[in-house]
Amino acid sequence: MALVSWPAWRALASSGQLGLGGCGAPRRGAYEWGVRSTRKPEPPPLDRVYEIPGLEPITYAGKMHFTPGLARPVFPPWDPGWTHPKFYRSPPIHEQPLYKDQACYIFHQRCRLLEGVKQALWLTKAKLIEGLPEKVLSLAGDPRNHIENQDERVLNVISHARLWHSTEDIPKRETYCPVIVDNLIQLCKSQILKHPSLARRIYTKNHTLSATWNRESLLLRIRGSRGAQLSAKDPLPPIASREEVEATKDHTLETFYPISPTIDLQECHVYDAKDETGFQKDSPYPHSHTLYFLERANLRPHRFQPDQLQAKMILFAFGSALAQARLLYGNDSKVLEQPIVVQSVGTDGRLFQFLVLQLNTTDLDSNEGIKNLVWVDSDQLLYQHFWCLPVIKKKVVVEPVGPTGFQPETFRKFLALYLHGAV
Amino acid sequence: MAAARCWRLLSRGRARPLHTAAEAAATALETTGPDVAARYPPIVASLTADSKAARQRRVARWHAKAHAAESVDEKLRILTKMQFMKYVVYPQTFALNADRWYQSFTKTVFLSGLPPLPAEPAPALDVAALRAAACDCLLQEHFYLRGRRRAPLPQVREAVVSPFLDQLVAALMGLLSPHNPTLASAALDCKRPVNFYWLRDEEIISKGHRKGRVDALRYQINDKPHNQIRISKQLPEFVPLDYSVPVEIPVIKCKPDKLPLFKRQYENSIFIGSKPADPCCYGHTQFHLLPNKLNRERLLKLNRADQIEVVFRANAIASLFAWTGAQAMYQGFWSEADVTRPFVSQGVITDGKYFSFFCYQLNTLALTAQADQNNPRKNICWGTQKYKKIKSALIPKAYKEKKA
């Protein structure tokens, strides 16, 4: 079109019928019509007579039609007398019933903290310990806790999730990630033969958590859907002894000046500072045991980085423990006699992050005093890669179909976290 | 015919009368049998001619290729490669009397009540614990869970019942696996596709460039059970393979279009929920959740109270036939290579309040017109009436009791 000359193009365009020219082109192009926007035109400005104070403008409102000499009437906005839910206009933020002057910084499940784990530790007043606690590691290493043919069954689980469960040739992460976690939990559940107390648990999805706390004059809140959670009838026993808990008094929280600790949190003035565990008060399974976070997005930029995922896990585990503590011991800020332990597992189908959090205190206002404890085991690969189709070079199968670089240790830790509290 | 012509030409060429030539041929055959066979290739119909014999030969060649396939994947590929227009059968359907139609499509006999139990004594089950677990799941989803996002109105019931069913299945599997070690190593699928493709009767094509010719009727089921349990060992049979049931299969004289059933052409798929390489390739139980459209209240309002049972039965027959058929095809059986052992699966169908239990035994896969000529075997489906679970009115009552 660019090379055709103007008269020739006009001839081509106008050779067609009315409205559309030849080849479906409009008779006059965008250059002549202007780009047709669907935006409403602006209302005309008010008459100058309205700017003169004390003067009553004479309008043509009573005459019910436009008259050139009279002013344009200004009518009050129409009130239909009833509200249609589709056309509801919410009142401005200052007039909303839950408006508060103090800003609340909310962490929800899509918040990616800039400083990652450091920021999460500051927000939850916790001390980080690398690696899982010895109690859990001993459960992982104990051969009595292993399932028969454990490695073979885990490899079957991986193959099922990555290849077999779908009719497609190469299933996407959105399908295989939840399948692999469900199957691993199913595999762990088969240990119910040896440990009958595993039956006192329930696996639920899609309920929301809400917890609020103060941290050095900042009001922080966690609110969001937790993904999947394993709840139990009995609470998890505390891991760190009283001496270790007392020793955290000497630990100083790492700050990251000049970055504010509330970066990447959503600032909100309209909130309701209520705590919610996601269950009714007298639920038969009141104690959260493990939270499972799945990074299911197909595209890498949509998934959380391991650091951000660990921060999210810390904050949600903390929120869960805090809501539980407030329910059991009331809203006062104090050091807990019986610390509350919550575990967490985050994965994208291949890389696993394990976390154990012990809530020692709900006195979170100051930076001194007893801190909470967080054990993190990060970046555990379950398998290096999975070939859905065999790699054939020069008619020789170089890589067969199946997982490569399988690490059985990761599943042992997964199983240990599952069995913790029931063994 | 070709042979006779051949001999006639030869005799004319040698100027001998026919009968002497025939005698000579007969004696020649008797004396030099293997030589004759070696000199002439077998006299068969053409492969490429536009004739019935040629078509039969092509079909036979295709069957031979399927028989000779080395792996199950290859065999399934050979059998499902060619796509033609086929009827799409929906297990959960609003069609009237769909269960009789599906019985005729799948050659299934429906018997009410459950099959005779095997002779071994049933293990002592802690019914109270199972009941408590079921109550817990029910209360958890209907009452205890808070903060769930409200689904739009028609989907509220499914948004509550669907997780309840998941929980119930998981809880029951956990509690019953001590009694049944196969269940402990079973695979639990949630909403995985189950597909099956088969050929049944024949019809004369009414219009098109193939008008007047005989064509098989093709069916495809694409089902998505809410949950299913797959095990690595096959369930034992309920009745022997050649058990003759006195009940007759309904014969429907109309075309399937009258059901209504519509034709489409797309991928022919055979899938049990996971690919053939999976060691858990036998089915145990399927759990189905009926959609809101097939609600009991809705059917009563439309004055179709008799169709309530039909909905459950049609779903059971179609889903379980597809599942057992796919399991059999994963083991290498197909319509020309009929099953040598029966394939058994169970099903539980619910609409949230009412549960129905079904058992299915697949005795034959030979449903094509050619294979079904002398096939006395029938597939059998046993089914129960609906059972009501705990009434929802008890939920606030239970809450009050707990509070007090």
Side-chain angles (χ1 to χ4, degrees):
Chain A
M1 268 312 195
L3 293 176
V4 177
S5 62
W6 176 251
W9 186 85
R10 274 303 291 268
L12 184 69
S14 54
S15 63
Q17 294 116 6
L18 196 70
L20 287 182
C23 324
R27 281 168 71 226
R28 272 185 260 187
Y31 187 76
E32 288 170 278
W33 273 122
V35 173
R36 285 167 295 180
S37 166
T38 51
R39 189 195 277 212
K40 261 195 201 160
E42 280 175 24
L46 289 175
D47 286 314
R48 297 283 301 276
V49 78
Y50 285 100
E51 293 162 26
I52 305 168
L55 201 63
E56 188 203 336
I58 300 183
T59 64
Y60 53 79
K63 295 187 81 168
M64 304 293 270
H65 65 90
F66 173 73
T67 314
L70 301 178
R72 188 186 178 79
V74 173
F75 295 108
W78 173 57
D79 174 27
W82 66 291
T83 43
H84 191 291
K86 187 180 172 190
F87 302 111
Y88 171 70
R89 299 298 303 266
S90 51
I93 293 185
H94 288 268
E95 291 170 29
Q96 298 222 355
L98 293 175
Y99 177 76
K100 294 170 184 65
D101 289 318
Q102 187 188 13
C104 178
Y105 298 94
I106 302 185
F107 181 88
H108 52 77
Q109 68 262 28
R110 294 316 292 171
C111 276
R112 296 189 192 215
L113 297 184
L114 179 71
E115 285 293 320
V117 176
K118 260 196 295 191
Q119 190 175 354
L121 292 172
W122 191 92
L123 290 172
T124 59
K125 195 178 170 189
K127 176 183 170 193
L128 175 71
I129 304 174
E130 291 284 345
L132 289 173
E134 296 86 35
K135 212 164 137 189
V136 174
L137 288 174
S138 68
L139 274 177
D142 192 354
R144 282 175 305 172
N145 291 335
H146 290 180
I147 310 171
E148 307 88 48
N149 306 329
Q150 182 169 300
D151 289 349
E152 189 194 318
R153 287 175 77 170
V154 175
L155 286 168
N156 275 347
V157 158
I158 298 171
S159 303
H160 178 258
R162 286 302 300 258
L163 181 61
W164 295 335
H165 76 278
S166 159
T167 45
E168 302 160 28
D169 286 330
I170 305 178
K172 297 268 170 204
R173 197 180 292 264
E174 270 173 354
T175 42
Y176 79 65
C177 190
V179 170
I180 203 172
V181 172
D182 283 339
N183 286 351
L184 289 175
I185 293 177
Q186 184 67 26
L187 194 55
C188 297
K189 248 197 213 169
S190 67
Q191 292 289 76
I192 208 168
L193 299 164
K194 284 192 214 163
H195 309 288
S197 49
L198 284 177
R200 296 163 63 81
R201 292 185 184 177
I202 199 166
Y203 182 65
T204 46
K205 293 185 188 177
N206 289 340
H207 43 265
T208 45
L209 162 72
S210 172
T212 324
W213 72 99
N214 278 302
R215 189 85 183 84
E216 271 195 5
S217 78
L218 294 167
L219 185 62
L220 300 167
R221 188 156 189 236
I222 275 216
R223 184 171 162 70
S225 157
R226 254 177 301 199
Q229 173 179 301
L230 194 68
S231 312
K233 285 190 178 168
D234 319 305
L236 278 170
I239 296 177
S241 58
R242 286 233 50 103
E243 293 77 33
E244 286 172 33
V245 169
E246 295 291 325
T248 56
K249 270 190 199 163
D250 310 322
H251 173 76
T252 44
L253 293 171
E254 206 180 326
T255 51
F256 28 90
Y257 181 84
I259 300 174
S260 155
T262 56
I263 194 170
D264 288 323
L265 296 179
Q266 183 188 356
E267 185 180 343
C268 192
H269 287 268
V270 179
Y271 56 91
D272 189 11
K274 257 195 318 192
D275 288 332
E276 199 148 329
T277 52
F279 300 102
Q280 299 276 4
K281 268 186 231 173
D282 44 357
S283 158
Y285 301 91
H287 304 273
S288 343
H289 186 275
T290 316
L291 309 177
Y292 295 94
F293 293 97
L294 306 178
E295 286 303 308
R296 300 166 58 162
N298 281 336
L299 304 171
R300 200 179 335 170
H302 294 184
R303 292 197 295 269
F304 275 32
Q305 297 301 314
D307 200 28
Q308 295 160 349
L309 183 59
Q310 282 165 31
K312 177 176 156 186
M313 282 158 63
I314 293 176
L315 276 157
F316 269 92
F318 174 79
S320 199
L322 189 66
Q324 183 68 33
R326 294 248 170 92
L327 198 66
L328 289 174
Y329 306 118
N331 281 349
D332 328 319
S333 311
K334 59 183 183 186
V335 176
L336 298 174
E337 288 299 321
Q338 192 70 8
I340 295 180
V341 175
V342 174
Q343 297 172 149
S344 182
V345 175
T347 177
D348 66 351
R350 193 180 72 115
L351 206 61
F352 281 76
Q353 327 280 342
F354 300 112
L355 186 137
V356 183
L357 179 133
Q358 178 168 320
L359 186 75
N360 298 319
T361 170
T362 50
D363 178 17
L364 304 157
D365 224 343
S366 65
N367 267 339
E368 280 79 36
I370 292 183
K371 319 268 184 316
N372 303 313
L373 285 165
V374 168
W375 290 264
V376 169
D377 204 357
S378 56
D379 297 339
Q380 303 291 310
L381 276 176
L382 185 58
Y383 53 94
Q384 179 64 36
H385 185 66
F386 188 92
W387 293 107
C388 291
L389 301 166
V391 178
I392 300 178
K393 297 243 165 92
K394 291 191 186 159
K395 299 193 187 169
V396 171
V397 176
V398 174
E399 300 271 359
V401 172
T404 53
F406 172 60
Q407 289 177 11
E409 191 55 38
T410 314
F411 178 71
R412 281 188 214 134
K413 289 183 189 166
F414 188 96
L415 183 61
L417 280 181
Y418 188 86
L419 292 175
H420 186 211
V423 171
Chain B
M1 189 185 78
R5 222 190 277 151
C6 208
W7 283 117
R8 223 173 277 146
L9 281 169
L10 271 173
S11 65
R12 265 195 216 126
R14 291 182 195 174
R16 271 193 219 163
L18 263 173
H19 59 276
T20 48
E23 278 169 32
T27 45
L29 268 172
E30 280 156 23
T31 49
T32 58
D35 286 351
V36 171
R39 253 185 278 156
Y40 295 101
I43 296 163
V44 289
S46 152
L47 256 184
T48 51
D50 187 14
S51 66
K52 288 184 193 150
R55 186 159 188 276
Q56 267 173 19
R57 194 156 160 241
R58 285 196 292 272
V59 167
R61 191 174 61 149
W62 175 59
H63 285 333
K65 220 161 72 163
H67 281 293
E70 280 155 7
S71 69
V72 170
D73 281 314
E74 212 185 304
K75 190 179 278 195
L76 290 177
R77 175 90 189 120
I78 292 170
L79 291 170
T80 56
K81 197 164 58 174
M82 289 305 294
Q83 287 182 16
F84 299 104
M85 293 288 276
K86 57 190 176 182
Y87 288 108
V88 183
V89 176
Y90 293 98
Q92 294 176 334
T93 174
F94 50 79
L96 300 179
N97 296 327
D99 62 335
R100 294 189 69 242
W101 287 84
Y102 288 178
Q103 280 182 277
S104 81
F105 295 154
T106 59
K107 205 181 178 189
T108 310
V109 165
F110 186 81
L111 303 172
S112 43
L114 285 176
L117 284 168
E120 316 136 13
L125 293 171
D126 188 3
V127 182
L130 293 171
R131 204 188 157 87
C135 281
D136 272 342
C137 293
L138 198 57
L139 286 169
Q140 187 76 18
E141 288 306 322
H142 283 261
F143 184 65
Y144 285 126
L145 217 57
R146 282 176 61 154
R148 188 192 273 131
R149 262 177 238 128
R150 291 268 167 82
L153 204 55
Q155 291 149 31
V156 161
R157 202 179 59 96
E158 275 175 21
V160 169
V161 176
S162 173
F164 155 65
L165 197 57
D166 277 328
Q167 295 280 357
L168 186 65
V169 172
L172 288 178
M173 260 187 88
L175 283 173
L176 293 171
S177 46
H179 301 286
N180 191 354
T182 342
L183 212 55
S185 59
L188 179 62
D189 294 331
C190 290
K191 297 192 186 91
R192 291 278 105 224
V194 169
N195 305 330
F196 190 57
Y197 169 75
W198 77 103
L199 284 78
R200 181 70 172 122
D201 302 311
E202 280 178 345
E203 61 160 359
I204 310 276
I205 301 176
S206 54
K207 55 183 180 173
H209 67 281
R210 293 184 66 212
K211 180 174 169 178
R213 296 193 181 103
V214 172
D215 190 31
L217 288 174
R218 291 164 291 272
Y219 301 88
Q220 168 88 40
I221 289 182
N222 293 105
D223 188 21
K224 207 167 244 201
H226 194 270
N227 291 90
Q228 65 178 18
I229 303 175
R230 279 179 298 112
I231 49 177
S232 44
K233 273 198 309 211
Q234 200 172 346
L235 282 178
E237 60 186 29
F238 291 124
V239 290
L241 187 60
D242 291 310
Y243 181 75
S244 61
V245 187
V247 180
E248 283 302 317
I249 298 173
V251 172
I252 315 251
K253 292 188 195 122
C254 315
K255 271 178 72 168
D257 296 76
K258 295 285 175 201
L259 177 58
L261 220 55
F262 299 98
K263 280 194 173 177
R264 244 197 303 159
Q265 178 176 322
Y266 59 102
E267 195 196 347
N268 301 329
S269 173
I270 295 178
F271 195 64
I272 61 166
S274 78
K275 293 196 174 136
D278 196 334
C280 290
C281 51
Y282 294 105
H284 188 274
T285 316
Q286 270 187 347
F287 294 83
H288 290 267
L289 181 62
L290 290 176
N292 212 22
K293 213 165 51 163
L294 302 171
N295 217 350
R296 192 167 174 268
E297 286 84 26
R298 193 168 165 272
L299 286 170
L300 285 171
K301 209 163 62 170
L302 292 170
N303 213 9
R304 294 242 172 261
D306 50 335
Q307 297 297 314
I308 302 173
E309 283 294 321
V310 163
V311 161
F312 283 86
R313 282 205 287 252
N315 193 359
I317 291 174
S319 301
L320 291 174
F321 169 75
W323 204 26
T324 46
Q327 288 168 44
M329 294 203 78
Y330 270 30
Q331 300 306 312
F333 301 110
W334 55 295
S335 47
E336 296 300 319
D338 208 358
V339 294
T340 51
R341 54 184 197 273
F343 283 80
V344 164
S345 289
Q346 297 164 131
V348 176
I349 301 186
T350 172
D351 65 349
K353 250 200 216 173
Y354 295 89
F355 285 72
S356 292
F357 304 93
F358 296 89
C359 298
Y360 195 93
Q361 175 161 328
L362 185 85
N363 292 323
T364 173
L365 264 183
L367 301 170
T368 56
Q370 190 190 352
D372 202 20
Q373 276 161 5
N374 296 322
N375 188 12
R377 298 190 203 162
K378 300 173 202 170
N379 304 321
I380 314 175
C381 180
W382 290 269
T384 62
Q385 293 285 323
K386 303 188 299 299
Y387 291 107
K388 217 177 197 181
K389 70 169 190 333
I390 306 170
K391 274 192 235 178
S392 49
L394 282 175
I395 293 175
K397 211 180 181 183
Y399 175 58
K400 280 181 203 155
E401 277 165 9
K402 279 191 189 253
K403 215 174 173 181

